[in-house]
Amino acid sequence: MQWRNTNDRFGLVTGSLHWLMALAVIGLTALGLWMTSLTYYSPYYTSAPFWHKSIGLVFAALLVLRLIWRAATPSPAHVASHQRWERRLAAGAQWLMYAAMLLIVISGYLISTAKGRGVSLFGWVEVPALISNLPDQAQRAGAVHYWLALGLLGVAGVHALGALKHHFIDKDNTLRRMLGMRLLNATENRK
């Protein structure tokens, strides 16, 4: 597998960022939902938010890297068998997920900095609180963070179902291109 995207498949960098961020979205959402259910007396009451915020900062850096890489590296051509509506739906879902991820990161930062404290990255460095003490900052940002995270999971679920549909029903190269699998040739693709 090549580092960069080619005309017919995604490269190692794009694929790695895709799958790493997909796992992070699922993990951060699960951790976030779990940690908000903890009581003050839970042994994880302070450690769970610490991990959620630290991993969230890593996720933010990966998102910036992914957007830069996407701008610098052309995507492969569309699979010839894809219908126009499928291409539009896929592009819309991708940009919707990017926008949701960006807003989730921003709202998470606003929750964490609402009282003027910075955000620790695994205790190594602190990202300063540049925006704080806005009216109801933590509550408003928290609502945006929560609902966008759930919405992102929904759109990502539809995205995954589309990829599975292309792989198992249409039997085309859509998922194979992102997994680094051997591509079907044109005659195999028509079966």
Side-chain angles (χ1 to χ4, degrees):
M1 182 178 236
Q2 295 183 5
W3 287 94
R4 297 177 62 90
N5 298 342
T6 64
N7 192 45
D8 61 347
R9 70 171 56 238
F10 292 96
L12 185 61
V13 173
T14 302
S16 298
L17 286 170
H18 176 273
W19 295 111
L20 184 60
M21 291 180 72
L23 288 172
V25 165
I26 294 166
L28 283 166
T29 304
L31 178 57
L33 291 172
W34 174 70
M35 77 180 195
T36 57
S37 70
L38 297 175
T39 65
Y40 180 77
Y41 298 105
S42 170
Y44 304 107
Y45 185 75
T46 56
S47 62
F50 170 82
W51 287 102
H52 185 80
K53 292 173 191 179
S54 292
I55 296 168
L57 287 173
V58 171
F59 181 82
L62 288 173
L63 179 59
V64 169
L65 177 63
R66 185 167 179 185
L67 291 171
I68 291 169
W69 184 257
R70 182 179 172 97
T73 308
S75 293
H78 292 287
V79 174
S81 62
H82 288 181
Q83 301 295 318
R84 186 175 181 189
W85 67 267
E86 289 174 311
R87 292 176 185 175
R88 286 187 172 177
L89 187 62
Q94 287 170 0
W95 286 110
L96 188 59
M97 287 187 285
Y98 282 128
M101 288 185 285
L102 185 60
L103 291 171
I104 289 167
V105 165
I106 292 168
S107 61
Y109 174 79
L110 292 173
I111 296 165
S112 300
T113 61
K115 294 182 180 176
R117 288 186 294 253
V119 185
S120 173
L121 175 64
F122 299 112
W124 301 330
V125 67
E126 187 168 294
V127 177
L130 301 174
I131 302 171
S132 60
N133 298 315
L134 297 174
D136 298 320
Q137 180 175 332
Q139 291 78 15
R140 289 179 182 178
V144 169
H145 195 73
Y146 174 80
W147 289 109
L148 280 177
L150 293 182
L152 176 60
L153 279 183
V155 175
V158 171
H159 174 72
L161 287 174
L164 293 173
K165 175 241 184 219
H166 282 289
H167 189 72
F168 291 109
I169 296 172
D170 299 343
K171 299 189 185 322
D172 66 25
N173 285 318
T174 302
L175 187 57
R176 291 174 168 277
R177 298 179 341 153
M178 185 56 82
L179 291 173
M181 296 170 68
R182 183 180 60 81
L183 298 180
L184 302 171
N185 66 34
T187 57
E188 289 174 319
N189 207 16
R190 288 191 209 119
K191 289 183 182 177

